[in-house]
């Protein structure tokens, strides 16, 4: 019988096609996996971009539980370079992974690019209640879920007990006390600073200003409200300018080897940082083991309990993914699985976003050698519940960060005061927003 | 026998004729592989970049054709021109020093009056083998204000710690890295050119009573002027495109290196952080134009100088 | 070989010799300072990196441990990076040298329509800022589905305009027209002339271009950074830069600066050794360019 020259191509004649089609129609009965997810003999390959160390271990956990989904983990850069690659892929229209690490502050930007998939359509909302409220809200829009929370960064104060004791400093509870301590330390021991002011640390600047009530952005459709140089920012700038001029804080670049060495050696007596700060310290600081302690972030008014967040990531899926169901399954596992959550906290010292873990007194009460036996998590757990919600990042946050870095660092370099820098940033960001088609209101 | 031989050679001639490439066609055949790759990987991207530069894509509103708006904006962009001015300062500082050293060492090595000639020749070329990433990393450590060796030495002697990353020192600091990387490369070029000068000239000038020094300066040096001009042009082109060193050092020197420190860095930031791919392309073209103009002007002066 | 100056063995001459050697010696110290730094840093433990003098060793000799870490971290990805770098550089170097030689031969030995225009075009290409090309190149490569493959790095590197100039100048000098005309009289085709007669003479120049292109590819950072996403394709430059960024932000866990330094040392050694071996060839190449054939 002559080969049927069907449109199905050379190798597959009609009879065989019907056989195959019939076979696939006959097998929907396999109900072990959530509806729509690949059958046991169909391996789905997902690509996942993330930089957090230890991720491969949790990926292995997932693959064990769902053996028909294979995840290819790639580290394409840490922070900014990772987002550059994502944007490049969006521009090219191809090459995006299925899932990627997405920090809270980047979600608005990638939403604006219409790149983030709504995982709510694949059942993500089922895990909503597992997570601390503000973290879920920060990554979603009503029922639209753009990210499954991974970790968060509630702010606190890490300080060197030995340096404080040697210099008879008490742990500051307000910013005024902090300033006094800085001046006192600079007077008693020149060369040792209470902290290093990172003018180019845009993430840190946003976090500390967040605590003070700074709300620079609000987007409503294509309208955008921009106020970076309001009195809150100017006051904050004035506060730090005073300390800088009095040489009570250092202005050396942060996130460098020398800066880490400075924290380790006691040159810097404290670091205002997020809950993941300890992670970085334990792995790179050997001389100061046992000498660090954690305390709540200083407040503007004594007795206040206002906190903010720095960093923290989510698992986000992309609209170009051909396997959104599997991607959602993966994301909800990585962020919501109790064992995964426990791993992130105990092995990588990431601060958990799962309610169950934060309420786990034993976990929160873990004593850390690096902190001389202090149960550091308790400090941050309290802070986590005090994070003041309502902070919105810009839909072009990377651009804003670059401007902040350029201008504030220039002030340190001699070009006016920090307050002036905020004015300059306001101008460039407003003109950028206009240029990008937003209506600045 | 003769018949077979005759037939054989006739066949051979036919065979050879079949694969003979016509003399007129040959150059195109030889050029083809290079030109094809050149067009695909250089010309086509360039055309695409030009296409990008006459459009504008925004977060709100999509993409639209904007004629030469991006170019108009580039011509009045302070960030761009401040970068050009900075690079002109940089070039005036770095190129004479680097090429001066290259020339000096090339002359010394060529004169044959030093010990361990080969040793020096090879070791001066080694920095060229070190990738810019690694060179900048290493010098970045060496420049370290608290823990770098220079700071350590200064403290040991009792001097104040040197600051390599302030307004006055940043250009020399970067110039140092560039010089360290490329001095040897230019030196080898000059050395080869000097070595190519026929030795009968030496004998002739010696007989005329010229000393080694005079010989080098008055006779050999002018003979390699064309080579020197070429290296100057390539150095100008290279330094106007400065990117790697400031890009890799920026975190160590944020107070003085900003995101538009050099035009190339500006183009990079525009595209990769600001998503302004179109404007970035325009900036790159204007930069290319500036490079072409400066190179051309320099060539004019140089040729006039030579023909004098 | 210069004979100037050898006419006298006076004290003045010897003094000059020592003086000049001293000048070169000073520059030698300057040249090797960063290399001494990378060597000593590779032998230290991480805390020692900041407490001991930068340009000398510390008491703890930790080199073997650092090297062990270097080759075992992340399942030995560093060896993969080294191999990638070598592979990209070898293919790009050979390919671009071949194409540049062919093109240089055409420019040097033929007159044809469009010759000056094409040559000026190639010359102009050198002035193009790399940033102008990277984004369109990225978009082009993604259209062909070549992103994140070795071809994304190799193909653009096959275009090496400086090689064309070098070969044109070299062939002008090294291959006389007589040889070529003789071949034509014999009835040989142009390709035959090139391959059998000319190529042997071209070897020194070819080697020079190969080495320059090889080094350019070995040192390439920006292009691979943009077009590669998977670490198994990274060359050493991109991989080390990523490790450095991780080490700086402290989240690398086992990634220490000392290991990054050891990686830097290992990645520059092969090229330096290759130079030392090949210097006989390319020195001759540059020289022969000046010597009449």
């Amino acid at each position: 019988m002559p080969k049927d020259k069907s449109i199905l191509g050379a190798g597959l004649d009609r009879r065989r096609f019907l056989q195959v089609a019939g076979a696939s129609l006959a097998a929907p009965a396999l109900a072990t996996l959530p509806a729509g997810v690949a059958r046991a003999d169909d391996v789905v390959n997902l690509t996942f971009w993330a930089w957090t160390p230890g991720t491969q271990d949790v990926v292995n956990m997932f693959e064990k539980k769902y053996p028909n989904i294979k995840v290819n983990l790639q580290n394409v850069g840490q922070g900014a370079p990772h987002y550059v690659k994502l944007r490049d892929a969006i521009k090219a229209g191809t090459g995006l992974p299925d899932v990627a690490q997405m920090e809270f502050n980047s979600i608005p930007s990638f939403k604006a690019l219409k790149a983030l998939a709504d995982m709510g359509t694949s059942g993500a909302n089922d895990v909503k209640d597992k997570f601390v409220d503000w973290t879920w809200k920060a990554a979603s829009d009503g029922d639209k879920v753009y990210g499954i929370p991974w970790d968060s960064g509630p702010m606190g104060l890490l300080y060197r007990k030995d340096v404080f004791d040697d210099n008879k400093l008490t742990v500051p509870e307000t910013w005024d006390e902090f300033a006094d301590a800085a001046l006192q330390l600079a007077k008693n021991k020149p060369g040792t600073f209470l902290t290093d002011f990172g003018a180019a640390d845009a993430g840190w600047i946003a976090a500390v200003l967040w605590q003070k009530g700074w709300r620079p952005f609000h987007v409503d459709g294509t309208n955008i409200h921009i106020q970076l140089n309001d009195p809150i920012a100017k006051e904050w700038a004035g506060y730090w300018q005073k300390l800088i001029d009095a040489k009570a804080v250092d202005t050396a670049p942060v996130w460098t080897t020398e800066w880490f060495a400075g924290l380790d050696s006691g040159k810097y007596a404290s670091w205002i940082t997020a809950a993941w700060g300890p992670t970085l310290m334990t792995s790179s600081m050997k001389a100061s083991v046992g000498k660090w302690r954690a305390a709540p972030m200083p407040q503007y008014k004594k007795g206040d309990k206002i906190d903010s967040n720095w960093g923290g990531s989510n698992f986000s899926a992309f609209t170009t993914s051909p396997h959104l169901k599997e991607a959602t399954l993966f994301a909800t596992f990585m962020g919501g699985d109790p064992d995964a959550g426990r791993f992130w906290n105990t092995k990588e010292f990431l601060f958990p976003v799962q309610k169950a873990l934060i309420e786990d007194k034993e976990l929160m009460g873990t004593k850390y050698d690096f902190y001389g036996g202090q149960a550091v998590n308790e400090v941050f757990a309290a802070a986590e519940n005090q994070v003041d919600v309502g902070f919105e990042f810009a839909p072009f946050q990377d651009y804003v960060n670059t401007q902040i870095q350029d201008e504030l660092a220039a002030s340190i370099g001699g070009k006016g005061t920090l307050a002036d820098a905020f004015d300059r940033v306001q101008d460039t960001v407003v003109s950028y927003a206009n240029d990008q088609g937003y209506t600045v209101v | 026998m003769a018949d077979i031989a005759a037939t054989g050679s006739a066949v051979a001639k036919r065979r050879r004729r079949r694969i003979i490439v016509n003399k007129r066609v040959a150059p195109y055949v030889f050029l083809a592989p290079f030109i094809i790759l050149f067009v695909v990987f250089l010309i086509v991207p360039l055309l695409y970049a030009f296409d990008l530069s006459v459009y504008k894509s925004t977060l709100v509103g999509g993409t639209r054709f904007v004629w030469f708006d991006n170019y108009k904006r580039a011509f009045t962009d302070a960030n761009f021109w401040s970068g050009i001015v900075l690079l002109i300062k940089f070039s005036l500082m770095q190129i004479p020093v680097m090429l001066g050293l290259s020339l000096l060492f090339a002359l010394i090595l060529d004169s044959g009056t030093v010990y361990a000639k080969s040793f020096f020749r090879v070791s001066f070329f080694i920095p060229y083998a070190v990738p810019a990433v690694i060179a900048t990393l290493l010098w970045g450590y060496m420049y370290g204000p608290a823990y770098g060796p220079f700071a350590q030495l200064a403290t040991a002697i009792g001097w104040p710690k040197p600051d390599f990353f302030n307004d006055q020192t940043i250009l020399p600091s970067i110039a140092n890295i560039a010089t360290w990387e490329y001095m040897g490369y230019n030196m080898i070029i000059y050395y080869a050119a000097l070595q190519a000068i026929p030795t009968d000239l030496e004998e002739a000038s010696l007989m005329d009573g010229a000393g080694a020094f005079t010989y080098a300066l008055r006779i050999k040096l002018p003979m390699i002027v064309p080579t020197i001009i070429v290296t100057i042009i390539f150095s100008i082109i290279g330094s106007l495109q400065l990117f790697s060193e400031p890009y890799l050092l920026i975190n160590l020197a944020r107070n003085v290196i900003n995101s538009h420190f050099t035009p190339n860095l500006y183009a990079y930031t525009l595209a990769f952080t600001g998503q302004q791919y179109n404007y970035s392309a325009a900036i790159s073209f204007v930069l290319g134009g500036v490079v072409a103009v400066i190179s051309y002007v320099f060539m004019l002066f140089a040729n006039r100088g030579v023909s004098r | 070989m210069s004979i100037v100056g050898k006419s006298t063995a006076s004290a003045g001459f010897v003094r000059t010799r020592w003086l000049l050697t001293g000048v070169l010696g000073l520059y030698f110290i300057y040249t090797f300072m960063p290399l001494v730094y990378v060597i000593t840093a590779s032998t230290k433990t991480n805390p020692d990196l900041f407490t001991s003098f930068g340009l000398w060793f510390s008491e703890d000799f930790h080199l073997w441990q650092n090297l062990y870490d270097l080759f075992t971290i992340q399942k030995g990805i560093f060896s993969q990076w080294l191999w990638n770098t070598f592979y990209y550089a070898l293919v790009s170097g050979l390919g671009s040298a071949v194409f540049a030689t062919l093109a240089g031969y055409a420019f040097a030995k033929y007159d044809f329509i469009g010759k000056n225009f094409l040559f000026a075009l190639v010359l102009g290409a050198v002035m193009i800022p790399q940033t102008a090309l990277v984004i369109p190149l990225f978009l082009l490569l993604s259209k062909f589905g070549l992103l994140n493959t070795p071809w994304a790095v190799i193909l653009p590197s096959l275009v090496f305009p400086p090689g064309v100039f070098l070969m044109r100048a070299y062939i002008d000098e090294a291959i006389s027209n007589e040889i070529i005309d003789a071949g034509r009289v014999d009835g040989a085709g142009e390709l035959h002339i090139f391959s059998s007669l000319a190529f042997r003479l071209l070897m020194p120049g070819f080697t020079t271009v190969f080495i320059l292109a090889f080094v350019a590819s070995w040192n390439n950072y920006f292009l691979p950074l943009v077009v590669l996403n998977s670490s198994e394709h990274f060359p050493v430059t991109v991989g080390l830069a990523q490790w450095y960024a991780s080490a700086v932000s402290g989240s690398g866990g086992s990634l220490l600066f000392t290991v990054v330094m050891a990686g830097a040392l290992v990645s520059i050694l092969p090229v330096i050794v290759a130079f030392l071996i090949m210097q006989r060839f390319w020195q001759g190449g540059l020289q022969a360019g000046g010597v009449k054939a």
Side-chain angles (χ1 to χ4, degrees), chain A residues 7-257:
Chain A
I7 53 170
L8 299 163
L12 198 60
D13 67 2
R14 238 174 88 237
R15 257 185 55 185
R16 282 237 291 156
F17 169 72
L18 285 173
Q19 276 177 346
V20 172
S24 57
L25 283 171
L30 290 166
T32 49
L33 294 158
V37 181
R39 291 164 36 225
D41 46 328
D42 276 353
V43 172
V44 170
N45 288 303
L46 293 178
T47 314
F48 173 44
W49 288 1
W51 67 78
T52 302
T55 303
Q56 186 63 56
D57 292 331
V58 187
V59 166
N60 294 344
M61 275 190 222
F62 174 81
E63 283 183 332
K64 220 190 240 158
K65 190 164 179 191
Y66 298 98
N68 58 310
I69 304 181
K70 291 270 166 284
V71 178
N72 176 12
L73 167 67
Q74 286 298 335
N75 175 352
V76 300
Q78 187 165 308
H82 168 94
Y83 297 114
V84 166
K85 285 233 177 262
L86 284 174
R87 276 199 288 270
D88 282 350
I90 292 171
K91 178 88 184 163
T94 134
L96 274 175
D98 296 279
V99 181
Q101 179 165 2
M102 183 73 48
E103 290 163 300
F104 285 102
N105 58 14
S106 297
I107 289 186
S109 301
F110 284 88
K111 254 172 72 181
L113 289 171
K114 304 196 177 25
L116 296 181
D118 173 12
M119 290 187 279
T121 60
S122 310
N125 281 303
D126 294 344
V127 297
K128 177 170 163 175
D129 292 325
K130 288 191 179 187
F131 294 96
V132 172
D133 283 347
W134 80 260
T135 62
W136 187 265
K137 287 208 184 70
S140 61
D141 207 352
D143 274 342
K144 301 204 176 82
V145 182
Y146 296 110
I148 308 289
W150 182 346
D151 72 311
S152 66
M155 298 287 281
L157 176 70
L158 298 184
Y159 66 95
R160 286 283 293 268
K161 181 153 166 45
D162 56 328
V163 178
F164 270 46
D165 288 344
D166 286 345
N167 292 280
K168 303 200 181 25
L169 297 171
T170 51
V171 182
E173 285 175 26
T174 66
W175 286 108
D176 285 337
E177 285 172 20
F178 187 89
D180 290 338
L183 291 161
Q184 185 189 336
L185 183 62
K187 205 164 65 159
N188 292 350
K189 207 159 175 215
T192 304
F193 299 95
L194 186 56
T195 194
D196 188 5
F197 179 79
D201 201 350
W204 177 79
I205 292 173
V208 290
L209 274 169
W210 174 343
Q211 188 213 24
K212 198 166 159 52
W214 195 56
R215 299 289 182 271
F217 296 106
H218 179 65
V219 176
D220 187 11
T222 57
N223 291 339
I224 186 169
H225 171 75
I226 303 175
Q227 194 70 60
L228 293 143
N229 57 347
D230 60 355
I232 293 176
K234 295 281 181 82
E235 259 177 49
W236 179 88
Y239 173 91
W240 287 98
Q241 189 71 53
K242 198 180 86 181
L243 293 176
I244 291 169
D245 291 340
K247 299 216 189 332
V249 295
D250 199 5
T251 54
V254 293
W255 301 107
T256 63
T257 55

Side-chain angles (χ1 to χ4, degrees), chain C:
Chain C
M1 192 51 202
S2 175
I3 56 167
V4 175
K6 281 233 171 102
S7 45
T8 164
S10 70
F13 176 63
V14 172
R15 216 181 328 145
T16 315
R17 287 194 91 174
W18 278 109
L19 184 68
L20 292 177
T21 311
V23 168
L24 293 188
L26 280 175
Y27 194 81
F28 173 79
I29 294 175
Y30 166 75
T31 303
F32 268 77
M33 250 192 325
L35 302 176
V36 167
Y37 184 83
V38 73
I39 292 171
T40 57
S42 308
T43 63
K44 293 182 182 165
T45 61
N46 215 42
D48 276 349
L49 200 58
F50 301 108
T51 50
S52 59
F53 178 55
L55 292 172
W56 196 248
F57 302 93
S58 65
E59 277 159 22
D60 237 335
F61 191 76
H62 216 235
L63 178 63
W64 309 122
Q65 181 62 41
N66 288 338
L67 285 176
Y68 178 78
D69 288 340
L70 178 68
F71 283 102
T72 52
I73 284 181
Q74 291 172 16
K75 301 203 191 106
I77 192 80
F78 188 76
S79 319
Q80 179 69 41
W81 292 344
L82 276 179
W83 169 252
N84 290 342
T85 317
F86 176 73
Y87 175 69
Y88 298 155
L90 187 68
V91 177
S92 311
L94 279 177
S96 58
V98 167
F99 299 136
T101 302
L102 289 170
Y105 184 75
F107 280 122
K109 290 297 166 195
Y110 294 92
D111 268 317
F112 50 93
I113 305 169
K115 173 171 166 173
N116 288 326
F117 168 71
L118 280 175
F119 195 72
L121 196 65
V122 175
L123 178 67
V126 180
M127 295 193 210
I128 298 171
Q130 198 187 20
T131 35
L133 286 174
V134 170
I135 299 166
L137 206 54
F138 167 82
L139 296 168
L140 199 74
L141 289 165
S142 86
K143 279 208 176 22
F144 287 138
L146 290 171
L147 273 188
N148 206 30
T149 64
W151 293 115
V153 178
I154 293 174
L155 287 177
S157 309
L158 292 174
V159 184
F160 192 58
V164 176
F165 306 138
L166 252 163
M167 286 314 284
R168 177 180 181 168
Y170 177 78
I171 290 172
D172 256 333
E173 294 289 331
I175 299 183
S176 65
N177 293 329
E178 286 84 54
I179 297 179
I180 299 179
D181 288 336
R184 290 193 185 123
V185 162
D186 273 349
E190 301 298 311
L191 283 178
H192 191 238
I193 294 174
F194 177 81
S195 61
S196 66
L197 298 174
F199 205 79
R200 226 146 288 141
L201 290 170
L202 292 169
M203 218 14 114
F206 177 86
T207 316
T208 309
V209 175
F210 168 72
I211 291 186
L212 291 176
F214 184 90
V215 172
S217 174
W218 188 280
N219 293 352
N220 205 353
Y221 171 67
F222 196 39
L223 178 71
L225 178 73
V226 173
V227 301
L228 297 175
N229 289 333
S230 307
S231 63
E232 70 248 22
H233 294 309
F234 286 170
V236 144
T237 45
V238 175
L240 269 183
Q242 192 185 72
W243 273 5
Y244 174 66
S246 290
V248 166
S249 47
S251 60
S254 47
L255 266 177
L256 305 168
F257 299 103
T258 44
V259 175
V260 174
M261 286 290 108
L265 180 64
V266 170
S267 64
I268 61 182
L269 276 179
V271 184
I272 292 178
V273 167
F275 264 17
L276 296 174
I277 296 175
M278 300 216 70
Q279 61 137 341
R280 209 178 310 153
F281 297 102
W282 63 259
Q283 286 284 275
L286 287 171
Q287 266 173 267
V291 173
K292 291 280 181 219

Side-chain angles (χ1 to χ4, degrees), chain B residues 214-289:
Chain B
T214 325
Y215 176 65
L217 282 181
R218 291 273 171 79
I219 298 173
K220 287 200 118 168
L221 200 51
M223 290 195 75
I224 62 166
V225 162
T227 309
I228 297 180
I229 291 179
V230 169
T231 55
I232 296 181
I233 292 177
F234 278 118
S235 298
I236 292 178
I237 293 175
S239 49
L240 286 174
Q241 297 188 27
L242 192 68
F243 171 78
S244 305
E245 287 82 0
Y247 171 74
L248 295 164
L249 284 176
I250 196 168
N251 286 327
L252 293 175
R254 210 60 180 78
N255 302 348
V256 282
I257 301 182
N258 57 31
S259 63
H260 46 85
F261 193 65
T262 70
N264 244 352
L265 189 60
Y266 187 40
Y268 175 86
T269 313
L270 283 171
F272 290 89
T273 357
Q275 281 154 262
Q276 298 164 291
Y277 297 101
N278 315 90
Y279 186 48
S280 171
I283 289 276
S284 296
F285 274 104
V286 178
L287 175 64

